[in-house]
Amino acid sequence: MASPFTQRAVCRIVEVVSEPYDAPDWTYLPGTYYDVMFEGWTFFCRSDKLRPISDPDAEVSEPSWATTEL
């Protein structure tokens, strides 16, 4: 699960800011990772969780839970 801080970037448009790299160590799920930037913060993300914005099925609007006031 993502931390509350990281959840802010989930389902949002992010900028990829690194070359692809392998999982940093055995505690990460295997795969290719990228560093991505959102609102001035850098996060790591597995490649299978990223979709290009040119994807016609990409969800680029804010999810409903992000706009609901608690």
Side-chain angles (χ1 to χ4, degrees), residues 1-11 38 41-44 65:
M1 264 185 98
S3 69
F5 183 71
T6 303
Q7 287 177 0
R8 293 177 41 212
V10 173
C11 297
F38 176 74
W41 293 88
T42 302
F43 303 89
F44 65 88
W65 56 263

Side-chain angles (χ1 to χ4, degrees), residues 2-3 14 17 19 22 26 36 38 41 53-54 59 62 65 67:
S3 69
V14 297
V17 294
E19 295 292 322
D22 291 330
W26 67 271
V36 297
F38 176 74
W41 293 88
I53 198 165
S54 60
E59 178 63 44
E62 290 191 20
W65 56 263
T67 58

Side-chain angles (χ1 to χ4, degrees), residues 8-60:
R8 293 177 41 212
V10 173
C11 297
R12 304 293 177 94
I13 296 173
V14 297
E15 178 183 358
V16 175
V17 294
S18 76
E19 295 292 322
Y21 56 91
D22 291 330
D25 61 44
W26 67 271
T27 62
Y28 293 79
L29 290 173
T32 302
Y33 286 76
Y34 291 89
D35 291 336
V36 297
M37 185 168 286
F38 176 74
E39 293 185 351
W41 293 88
T42 302
F43 303 89
F44 65 88
C45 184
R46 274 195 26 211
S47 62
D48 62 336
K49 302 296 181 189
L50 296 172
R51 288 187 291 182
I53 198 165
S54 60
D55 179 351
D57 295 324
E59 178 63 44
V60 295

